[in-house]
Amino acid sequence: MIEQLKKIQTEATHEISAVEDLGSLEDLRVKYLGRSGLLSQLIKQIGSLPADEKPLIGKLTNETKGLLEALWQEKLAQLKQKAAEQGDEKIDLTLPAYSFFVGHKHPITQIMEEACSIFTRLGFSIAEGPEVESDYYNFQALNFPKEHPARDMHDSFYISDDVLLRTHTSPVQVRIMEKSRPPIRIIAPGKVYRRDADITHSPMFHQIEGLLVDTSSSFSDLKGILTVFVHQMFDPQTKLRFRTSFFPFTEPSAEVDISCVMCRGKGCRVCSNSGWLEILGAGMVDPEVFKAVGYDPEKYMGFAFGMGVERITMLKYGINDIRLFYENDLRFLRQF
Amino acid sequence: MKISYKLIQQYIDCPLSPEELSEKLTMAGLEVESLEKRGPDLSCCVIGQILDINSHPQADRLTVCRVNTGAGISTIVCGAQNMKPGDKVPVALPGCRLPEGMVIKRSKLRGVVSEGMMCSEKELGLSEESSGLMILPADAPVGRDIVSYLGLNDVILDIDLTPNRGDCLSARGIVREIAALTGVRPKKMVVDFPEQGESIENLVSIEIRDPDLCPRYTARVISNLTVAPSPRWLRDQVESFGLRSINNVVDVTNLVMMELGQPLHAFDYDLIQGKRIIVRRAQDGERIITLDNIERQLTSRNLVIADANRPIALAGVMGGANTEVSDQTKTILLESAFFDPVQIRRTANEFGLHSEASHRFERGVDPEGVILALNRATQLILSVAGGCAAKGVIDRYPRVFIPRVVRLRLPMIQKVLGIEVPPDRVIRILEDLECLVAQSDEDTLEVQVPLFRWDIEREIDLIEEIARIYGYDNIPTSLPGGAPSPERKIPFKDIEARIRNILIGLGFCEAINFSFICGQILNLLSSPATGSSCLGEGRVRLQNPLAEDHDVMRTSLIPGLLENLAYNQNRQIDNIRLFEIGRCFFSSSNGSLPEEKAMLALVMEGTREPRSWKGKPAPLTFFDLKGVVEALMVGLKIDNYAMTPAESRWLGSSQSANLMVGDKVVGSLGKVGQSIMEYFDLDKEIFALELLIDSLVSSEARRGIRPIPRFPSVSRDLALVISEEVPYREIEESIREMRIEILEDIQLFDLYRGAQIPAGKKSLGLSLTYRSSTRTLTDQEVNKVHERVINQLSQKFSASLRE
Ligand SMILES: [Zn+2]
């Protein structure tokens, strides 16, 4: 038996050290160390040996088993290492990929989401209103009386004498104030419509409206909020300029310019050499609007602002034709 | 409003350059859109010094001068007598075009070559008459161009005025602003002229019948004048405002309108019948031919100026042809009035007649300024057209305007602006704006607002004036404090964002289309042949679409996407996958506003995956579309959905299904049918989906987490040969109806027709997964249950088990 044991040990040692791949190594493990391998067969025979030989043979067998197992472990580790180094299969890594179709959000959506997230971080919630509006919400409640020249600023699409496609997102201000009490901080993104079509005007475009109403909020707060927005939307070096303007529903009103993103304020074609780009309108909520929604203008103060999303998107990406947004040419959409 | 910088300088000593001025005005709300250089084109006219003067060999009245022009010595033949050697004069060199149109060339004059021309003031367009050359001061630099030396350059400021600032539609208004912004007082305008002969009251009678529409009407009569082309200075000034020169009388009325903001009108006095002026509403059916030679039919909504017999002007909007000033006119009646702004706006809109005059009346002129304008115009007409002004003015002023007094509480300024403006600064600003300010107590001012500021009615209007003159830039920046406002969450905004993310992950690009489309396309989509959408019908039509094919608000997003698809296909783009999220509009029977529904639609064509060297990718089928819907539902955590064959066709194809959530139809999906493909000129197979986003909002499964299984599952396959007539869903349902507790999942892994399968039959390979949540299943247990399934199927569908 000892002879047999020795023979197994010699052959196994030889074969294990010679083996070159994991598969053959596993075969050897089964052959020698497996449940019905050569060693196990030998161990089964130990029972039938004379009692005085048992301890010695048992000990030797265990030693051999231990030895072979160690040898196998070592080889296994060696081969695994080698396999890992070599890789399982040699391939031409420079072949092109099996691609996936990749989708893209519309650039307008991306800028709207970005703007909304900036304002949400500032504590604003998102609000909505109908795109087909009544004259009352689109104009009258916002202090655009009928027969007033201010209405010339908005060339509207009419459904009936009293119903039109909203010309701005400002009616949402009125609807929200009618439904709730201050404090209010909302922004209302959405589509708006004006009868105007050329390279910089689209009959449908997107606006984001903002409204903050509280017992104390001032023009300087408005400047602050919009400064934070512009610095996050463009970059913190962007300068802002607030200049006097007129909107019937705010007083005082301001048009907000940012330093030109193309030329950094030096003057170029995009900013008509002024160094400034107009990006939004804003102002303190006019007391007439508060009266229209039943707020006491002596008690509440607020400000509102509105911006054109196309305008901001065009500036951010250097797009010079607004019509690109609505052609939905995949060669355009896939760039965003 | 266009205004010349040089003209501004005539009214105020403006200390700012054109650039500084436009910056200042822009910040104060008078947005200067552009600065346009303007001046005589005298590019080849320089200052020259006469070196010597010799007589012309051939002509006694001419001289031959040698002139240093800086660039060299030129020989110039000259007809003037008033110069001497050493004089400095303007020299037009060859190539120079003089204002009267003459182009200077090198030429022979009576045998002597002349290399230019020495000019008089008249020749340079600087005055009407002049004798002899223009002799320049001795220190004039030789060689310098004359335009810059004489300061002939001008800059035109083009100011985009907001509708509230009607008071700035004149040079005077803009000068008032400059005065307030710079603290420089405007120059005083002196109006003085002789009156002669008859009193005006004997020449004409004036009556206002509708004082609500015409609170004030004033007039003068000027006789014996000569209507002629305007002198150059008048032409230049009128043109500097962007107006066209017509004749001396009309040009004066226009110039005064631009100067003072008060529109004027001149009637040919001799054509006024009965020598009466009546300001009244028109009678229904009355007609007038306006100055643009169009006959207008009037109604009692319109205000007219009439004589004894007929309308002679559409008040404040346009004069009538019947009393137009012409070359033959000898005597004029000059009108300066105040008309009701709303009335003017209505009439101007009604006739589509928007004139410089109506533009100003609509925004409100200065009722106290009408006489000044009348007199200023009279003075100018006398100086350019001669004649004499009748004695006196007719001034009918039945409705006198009283200036408003507005209370201003000083603490309100800080409350609104967030900065304290010192009271003396506040008072100074208001006074600079020509308000009268009285302090009633420490914190309160009583401010009397001048009548030309129609936009200042309330305290907040005064605060805006203070803010803009003080400068928005001087207001600090802060962030609002206060209580957080309650969060108002819109659930479907959230869902829309999730839908977008899922779909871009599946390779779809987002499109945005106009909300208005062609009504004809919607007809096609819902015709009996193509079936109908389950999502709604009633149309919302535009009264005034920009284009005929944009006349109806969309009731489906599909047409827009199909148009985009065709657009891209025509540009050799394939594998197009597009989606859009937007609202559709349906007329509603209750309420005045249409119903707006947020919808999602998508279209896809091409192959399942991009082409690659792996092999040819499989073309898309209806089941890929189902897969997209499934991914969407999983991503939105909607469990109780189903896609069931539609009873009616959608988009004209039999491959169409309804998307159900619970027992509600929320959308349609299917292949795009032939007639629609033809309409959009498409030829590849397209699959489309449209659904109502609103109905998904409340469908999200509100469940806790399902425990991760702790025991192994067992799978058993079975292959059934079954009649073609049996839809797959019935097989699956009949297994589920058995309510086998340990049945976890059913999967179809094979569908086969053809050899070895009898005609009219199909072979299905199903894999059933069994699992218990409480124990490891034994083979025996599973076999028993599986056996029951097989029996059920073979009995119910006479299916046979295939080996
Ligand atoms: Zn620039």
Side-chain angles (χ1 to χ4, degrees), chain A residues 101-117:
Chain A
F101 291 125
V102 180
H104 301 261
K105 283 186 205 177
H106 198 282
I108 294 291
T109 305
Q110 295 191 27
I111 295 294
M112 292 237 266
E113 286 183 347
E114 196 178 339
C116 288
S117 91

Side-chain angles (χ1 to χ4, degrees), chain B residues 436-587:
Chain B
L436 295 176
V437 184
Q439 189 147 14
S440 48
D441 65 53
E442 199 188 332
D443 278 346
T444 315
L445 302 180
E446 303 290 336
V447 182
Q448 184 185 313
V449 181
L451 280 172
F452 53 80
R453 289 304 301 268
W454 295 100
D455 59 322
I456 302 179
E457 292 175 304
R458 307 160 299 167
E459 184 178 52
I460 192 73
D461 301 324
L462 289 173
I463 294 174
E464 176 173 61
E465 290 302 302
I466 292 157
R468 72 184 187 88
I469 302 296
Y470 184 75
Y472 283 4
D473 277 355
N474 296 322
I475 296 173
T477 302
S478 58
L479 280 178
S485 80
E487 164 83 6
R488 297 171 178 82
K489 217 178 160 96
I490 310 183
F492 60 85
K493 272 284 141 195
D494 202 40
I495 274 214
E496 286 176 7
R498 279 158 64 199
I499 292 173
R500 281 192 182 96
N501 289 336
I502 295 165
L503 289 177
I504 64 167
L506 295 171
F508 286 82
C509 283
E510 187 185 10
I512 300 181
N513 285 292
F514 288 156
S515 303
F516 20 70
I517 62 174
C518 177
Q520 218 188 323
I521 298 176
L522 289 179
N523 292 341
L524 177 72
L525 288 193
S526 58
S527 73
T530 52
S532 63
S533 160
C534 49
L535 309 178
E537 282 304 327
R539 308 279 168 78
V540 179
R541 208 166 279 283
L542 292 181
Q543 276 184 348
N544 56 341
L546 259 188
E548 259 176 48
D549 58 350
H550 282 165
D551 59 336
V552 169
M553 297 303 283
R554 61 187 179 185
T555 55
S556 165
L557 304 175
I558 295 289
L561 289 176
L562 291 178
E563 237 164 58
N564 302 151
L565 213 142
Y567 180 98
N568 282 289
Q569 264 183 9
N570 292 338
R571 283 153 185 81
Q572 291 100 42
I573 296 163
D574 49 20
N575 284 317
I576 300 163
R577 297 180 177 197
L578 285 169
F579 76 99
E580 179 169 6
I581 290 174
R583 295 196 195 164
C584 289
F585 303 81
F586 304 92
S587 59

Side-chain angles (χ1 to χ4, degrees), chain B residues 221-237:
Chain B
V221 171
I222 304 168
S223 54
N224 247 329
L225 48 72
T226 310
V227 176
S230 292
R232 171 180 300 282
W233 71 266
L234 179 54
R235 222 159 67 206
D236 275 355
Q237 286 206 4

Side-chain angles (χ1 to χ4, degrees), chain A residues 119-134:
Chain A
F119 284 113
T120 325
R121 289 199 291 275
L122 289 166
F124 287 73
S125 357
I126 297 176
E128 286 222 324
E131 290 173 25
V132 181
E133 259 298 4
S134 64

Side-chain angles (χ1 to χ4, degrees), chain B residues 638-660:
Chain B
I638 295 173
D639 290 344
N640 58 335
Y641 72 94
M643 289 170 266
T644 57
E647 275 156 30
S648 59
R649 297 148 72 92
W650 183 61
L651 301 180
S653 161
S654 59
Q655 288 184 19
S656 51
N658 288 335
L659 173 61
M660 315 279 299

Side-chain angles (χ1 to χ4, degrees), chain A residues 95-106 108-109 113 123-134 143 147-153 156-161 163 165-166 175-176 180-181 183-186 191 193-197 202-204 206 212 214-215 217-225 227-228 241-246 251-255 278 284 286-288 298-299 301 303 325-331 333-334, chain B residues 23 26-29 31 162-164 342 345-346 349 362-363 409 412 414-418 455 458-461 463-464 467-468 472-488 490 492-493 497 500-501 503-516 540-546 553-554 564 567-568 571 573-583 585 592-594 596 607-610 612-614:
Chain A
L95 283 169
Y98 299 150
S99 310
F100 295 93
F101 291 125
V102 180
H104 301 261
K105 283 186 205 177
H106 198 282
I108 294 291
T109 305
E113 286 183 347
F124 287 73
S125 357
I126 297 176
E128 286 222 324
E131 290 173 25
V132 181
E133 259 298 4
S134 64
N143 197 28
E147 312 289 350
H148 194 276
R151 288 199 178 199
D152 293 348
M153 301 192 293
S156 324
F157 286 107
Y158 281 93
I159 303 293
S160 68
D161 289 351
V163 176
L165 305 190
R166 66 177 176 191
R175 289 183 174 272
I176 290 289
S180 39
R181 309 300 303 171
I184 289 175
R185 285 187 190 206
I186 54 121
K191 294 188 169 104
Y193 305 85
R194 293 190 199 174
R195 288 190 82 244
D196 213 352
S202 170
M204 180 189 91
H206 296 77
L212 185 150
D214 209 332
T215 46
S217 53
S218 66
F219 195 86
S220 66
D221 294 338
L222 167 65
K223 284 184 78 171
I225 287 279
T227 305
V228 171
R241 178 172 91 163
F242 289 74
R243 57 186 164 76
T244 310
S245 191
F246 168 73
E251 184 98 342
S253 302
E255 205 96 58
E278 183 183 317
M284 304 302 294
D286 194 290
E288 295 304 312
E298 290 289 309
K299 191 169 163 203
M301 305 277 281
F303 57 76
F325 291 125
Y326 306 105
E327 276 169 358
N328 299 308
D329 189 320
L330 282 165
R331 294 164 300 181
L333 296 177
R334 284 178 180 151
Chain B
E23 159 91 17
T26 297
M27 294 302 284
E31 188 182 356
T162 51
N164 57 327
V342 170
R345 181 172 166 80
R346 278 196 194 131
N349 280 343
E362 271 180 36
R363 284 156 178 77
R409 293 163 295 173
M412 277 306 282
Q414 174 156 27
K415 211 172 163 215
V416 174
L417 302 181
D455 59 322
R458 307 160 299 167
E459 184 178 52
I460 192 73
D461 301 324
I463 294 174
E464 176 173 61
R468 72 184 187 88
Y472 283 4
D473 277 355
N474 296 322
I475 296 173
T477 302
S478 58
L479 280 178
S485 80
E487 164 83 6
R488 297 171 178 82
I490 310 183
F492 60 85
K493 272 284 141 195
R500 281 192 182 96
N501 289 336
L503 289 177
I504 64 167
L506 295 171
F508 286 82
C509 283
E510 187 185 10
I512 300 181
N513 285 292
F514 288 156
S515 303
F516 20 70
V540 179
R541 208 166 279 283
L542 292 181
Q543 276 184 348
N544 56 341
L546 259 188
M553 297 303 283
R554 61 187 179 185
N564 302 151
Y567 180 98
N568 282 289
R571 283 153 185 81
I573 296 163
D574 49 20
N575 284 317
I576 300 163
R577 297 180 177 197
L578 285 169
F579 76 99
E580 179 169 6
I581 290 174
R583 295 196 195 164
F585 303 81
S592 62
L593 295 182
E596 298 182 17
T607 55
R608 194 165 300 159
E609 53 199 27
S612 76
W613 51 279
K614 177 162 60 175

Side-chain angles (χ1 to χ4, degrees), chain B residues 144-407:
Chain B
R144 173 137 177 226
D145 78 283
I146 198 80
V147 170
S148 71
Y149 176 72
L150 291 176
L152 300 179
N153 275 332
D154 195 1
V155 175
I156 305 291
L157 286 77
D158 191 352
I159 304 176
D160 187 15
L161 289 168
T162 51
N164 57 327
R165 295 308 302 273
D167 63 299
C168 287
L169 284 165
S170 65
R172 183 161 80 143
I174 288 164
V175 165
R176 262 192 315 248
E177 284 287 305
I178 298 171
L181 289 167
T182 60
V184 178
R185 300 258 60 86
K187 296 178 193 169
K188 254 201 126 49
M189 181 181 277
V190 184
V191 178
D192 187 30
F193 55 88
E195 293 178 348
Q196 285 166 352
E198 196 128 17
S199 161
I200 186 170
E201 300 283 354
N202 300 333
L203 297 172
V204 65
S205 78
I206 292 179
E207 178 193 349
I208 299 175
R209 293 240 177 104
D210 290 287
D212 53 324
L213 301 183
C214 176
R216 188 172 195 183
Y217 194 98
T218 70
R220 272 188 182 274
V221 171
I222 304 168
S223 54
N224 247 329
L225 48 72
T226 310
V227 176
S230 292
R232 171 180 300 282
W233 71 266
L234 179 54
R235 222 159 67 206
D236 275 355
Q237 286 206 4
V238 166
E239 284 168 0
S240 79
F241 285 108
L243 302 181
R244 209 161 45 84
S245 169
I246 294 168
N247 60 43
N248 49 5
V249 172
V250 175
D251 284 2
V252 165
T253 60
N254 280 335
L255 176 63
V256 172
M257 170 174 72
M258 300 314 282
E259 266 188 347
L260 300 177
Q262 171 66 47
L264 303 166
H265 183 67
F267 298 93
D268 186 325
Y269 172 82
D270 296 318
L271 301 176
I272 297 173
Q273 295 175 2
K275 304 305 167 216
R276 291 181 64 190
I277 293 282
I278 303 158
V279 187
R280 60 164 169 85
R281 287 171 195 273
Q283 290 150 16
D284 286 325
E286 238 177 340
R287 287 159 188 278
I288 183 172
I289 297 174
T290 40
L291 285 177
D292 51 6
N293 270 320
I294 296 174
E295 189 179 52
R296 318 269 175 183
Q297 174 134 17
L298 306 174
T299 65
S300 57
R301 290 191 304 272
N302 310 124
L303 184 73
V304 296
I305 312 300
D307 63 15
N309 302 314
R310 62 207 170 136
I312 55 173
L314 207 47
V317 177
M318 195 176 266
N322 50 16
T323 48
E324 184 177 2
V325 171
S326 70
D327 298 350
Q328 270 70 55
T329 303
K330 288 282 156 241
T331 303
I332 58 165
L333 179 128
L334 198 57
E335 159 202 293
S336 178
F338 183 98
F339 298 111
D340 175 61
V342 170
Q343 153 66 23
I344 297 290
R345 181 172 166 80
R346 278 196 194 131
T347 302
N349 280 343
E350 182 181 338
F351 295 112
L353 250 181
H354 296 275
S355 59
E356 293 283 345
S358 70
H359 192 74
R360 283 166 178 75
F361 282 127
E362 271 180 36
R363 284 156 178 77
V365 299
D366 179 4
E368 288 300 314
V370 293
I371 296 279
L372 174 68
L374 184 66
N375 288 341
R376 167 80 174 153
T378 304
Q379 177 190 20
L380 289 175
I381 288 172
L382 293 177
S383 81
V384 300
C388 59
K391 278 197 186 121
V393 174
I394 292 185
D395 181 3
R396 301 281 178 265
Y397 198 178
R399 203 155 64 90
V400 175
F401 290 94
I402 315 272
R404 269 185 296 271
V405 175
V406 180
R407 172 165 302 161

